Amino acid sequence: MKIASKIVHAGRDKKWTGYSVNVPVVRASTVVFDTVSELKHATAKRGEQVPYYGRRGTQTHFAFSDAICELEGGAGCALYPCGAAAISGALLAFLQSGDHLLMVDSVYEPTRALCDKLLKNLGIDTTYYDPLIGAGIKALIRPNTKVIFLESPGSITMEVQDVPAICAVAKQHNVLVMLDNTWASPVLFKPFAHGVDVSIQAATKYIVGHSDVMLGTASANEKYWPQLREASYLLGYCASADDVYLAARGLRTIGVRLAQHQQNTAQVLAYLQQRPEIARILHPSLPDHPGHAEFTRDFSGSNGLLSLVLKQGDAKAVTAFVEGMQFFKMGFSWGGYESLVTFNLNLQSIRTATLWPYTGPVIRLHIGLEDPTDLIADLAAAFERFNSTVVP
């Protein structure tokens, strides 16, 4: 089945949807049983997709989990109230005091904070590594290394990791590999086909696609799914049926939305490459981008998230750039239909294993579904404000 067809039909099993096109919103805390034998059966099967208690899931949750598994290739999928919860839930499912974690240096900033605060306090040691290390990760593996965590492309700086090379080394040392697959979504990169054991996503972003739901997913292969599933339940994670319904509905259009994001971004990139204020554009589709060879080898397309490294500029100049934009709104997250802008004045402050080679500020853009000519005009006006404020 081609990916466009799979996106439309994944998870649409009649046992979950009945005679509807979309899965119904089934809200439940208590599940009631008519007989003792029914209760015993549900109790025996409570680790499977059988209604037992609301936190274990309803038809709404089961249909969406199935869809994510079909698209990513996992054996099972746990749902969480947000992407950060999916990351913490997955890590806590497989790490304990005395363990060692290898964490990519370009990781999402809240994940770094989780490692440096909560995991550290639990006696879990974290080593950050160069995102471009590839098979060289072998030199960092210790006898107590339990998990290698990848994020590819990385947050803000977008380095693409050599996932198959890292996974091959990990398998040789019996180390579990987790990947934050949010940038690619289930459409652009197939984690399990490349050797990943646990794939994590902030479904909040491209899966939901409309900036109105917080949701996270963590899928696992057959070896690790039972442990992930049980730990997720023991930690108390669950997601609202209403939020899961909206995510399932958003999933049906992710293919066409991503294609438009990619098309719009290509036009905006062509404009940005002409701007003299930019020292470097960070987007994996560009030939000079770190990991571009791995990107063209492993990914089936790109999206609308990119960063601009400016040659110079202080806080005042950056403020002039981001304030007053018509279409690019200041706000965290990305993956919705709207264009967004954020900034970072000191990227080295969130890197510890690698040296950030630039001194200028970084502007992160999410290219939405507006007409790209409007977005380009918005950026041109932002650069005009920037240039009128920047101190040479």
Side-chain angles (χ1 to χ4, degrees):
M1 188 184 296
K2 301 297 184 183
I3 185 63
S5 301
K6 188 174 285 190
I7 289 169
V8 171
H9 293 280
R12 286 178 54 198
D13 192 311
K14 234 177 184 180
K15 65 185 176 183
W16 309 137
T17 64
Y19 292 94
S20 300
V21 172
N22 290 313
V23 62
V25 180
V26 181
R27 307 177 187 89
S29 55
T30 300
V31 174
V32 296
F33 305 95
D34 291 330
T35 66
V36 171
S37 62
E38 284 182 1
L39 185 149
K40 287 182 176 179
H41 173 76
T43 302
K45 299 287 185 180
R46 66 178 179 265
E48 302 173 25
Q49 290 179 322
V50 174
Y52 171 77
Y53 180 63
R55 190 153 60 86
R56 290 280 188 181
T58 68
Q59 292 92 319
T60 312
H61 302 82
F62 300 152
F64 180 67
S65 294
D66 280 357
I68 296 298
C69 286
E70 288 181 48
L71 291 170
E72 279 202 308
C77 175
L79 304 182
Y80 302 82
C82 64
I87 292 168
S88 62
L91 286 170
L92 291 171
F94 296 100
L95 291 170
Q96 59 185 358
S97 181
D99 286 346
H100 176 235
L101 165 67
L102 283 169
M103 176 62 65
V104 64
D105 202 31
S106 55
V107 74
Y108 175 55
E109 195 171 351
T111 304
R112 180 181 288 270
L114 171 72
C115 296
D116 295 346
K117 297 175 182 179
L118 179 61
L119 297 188
K120 181 180 179 181
N121 290 339
L122 293 175
I124 298 164
D125 186 26
T126 299
T127 298
Y128 293 95
Y129 67 88
D130 185 340
L132 302 179
I133 197 170
I137 195 83
K138 179 179 180 180
L140 300 180
I141 294 177
R142 305 174 187 172
N144 63 333
T145 302
K146 296 297 174 63
V147 173
I148 300 174
F149 194 102
L150 293 72
E151 183 178 318
S152 181
S155 287
I156 304 178
T157 50
M158 315 291 170
E159 296 96 334
V160 180
Q161 297 187 252
D162 192 338
V163 176
I166 294 174
C167 289
V169 172
K171 297 295 184 293
Q172 294 170 5
H173 294 80
N174 197 31
V175 176
L176 181 151
V177 176
M178 293 184 185
L179 168 70
D180 185 334
N181 197 37
T182 302
W183 191 97
S185 82
V187 178
L188 303 179
F189 182 81
K190 303 302 180 188
F192 299 102
H194 290 88
V196 172
D197 298 303
V198 176
S199 175
I200 301 162
Q201 295 180 79
T204 304
K205 298 182 170 65
Y206 279 122
I207 291 175
V208 169
H210 293 77
S211 303
D212 53 4
V213 171
M214 303 292 292
L215 191 69
T217 70
S219 306
N221 57 21
E222 288 187 10
K223 179 179 180 180
Y224 292 109
W225 167 238
Q227 186 170 341
L228 176 66
R229 176 188 63 205
E230 190 61 10
S232 174
Y233 182 73
L234 292 175
L235 288 167
Y237 287 115
C238 59
S240 158
D242 296 84
D243 290 345
V244 174
Y245 169 82
L246 288 172
R249 189 170 67 169
L251 184 67
R252 303 307 174 192
T253 61
I254 190 173
V256 292
R257 286 187 285 106
L258 279 173
Q260 192 63 50
H261 283 295
Q262 177 175 288
Q263 182 176 320
N264 287 3
T265 301
Q267 293 187 52
V268 173
L269 284 173
Y271 163 74
L272 292 171
Q273 287 174 307
Q274 302 172 28
R275 295 299 315 196
E277 302 89 347
I278 298 174
R280 190 176 187 95
I281 302 172
L282 302 173
H283 191 268
S285 67
L286 298 176
D288 63 344
H289 185 79
H292 175 72
E294 288 75 16
F295 178 76
T296 56
R297 181 192 67 192
D298 298 337
F299 288 69
S300 61
S302 63
N303 68 15
L305 193 68
L306 61 98
S307 294
L308 311 176
V309 183
L310 303 182
K311 292 178 180 177
Q312 59 179 333
D314 57 12
K316 184 178 179 181
V318 171
T319 298
F321 186 103
V322 300
E323 285 187 353
M325 300 187 86
Q326 181 178 0
F327 297 105
F328 287 91
K329 304 301 183 184
M330 268 189 291
F332 299 104
S333 196
W334 41 272
Y337 53 81
E338 75 286 1
S339 293
L340 294 172
V341 59
T342 59
F343 60 93
N344 190 302
L345 298 177
N346 180 19
L347 203 57
Q348 188 59 56
S349 65
I350 54 171
R351 303 290 283 255
T352 54
T354 50
L355 180 65
W356 180 243
Y358 302 98
T359 57
V362 176
I363 305 288
R364 192 182 75 176
L365 302 174
H366 177 252
I367 309 302
L369 301 181
E370 301 93 342
D371 189 296
T373 58
D374 287 330
L375 299 180
I376 289 169
D378 208 12
L379 288 166
F383 278 114
E384 189 173 331
R385 294 191 302 272
F386 176 85
N387 288 327
S388 67
T389 310
V390 70
V391 178

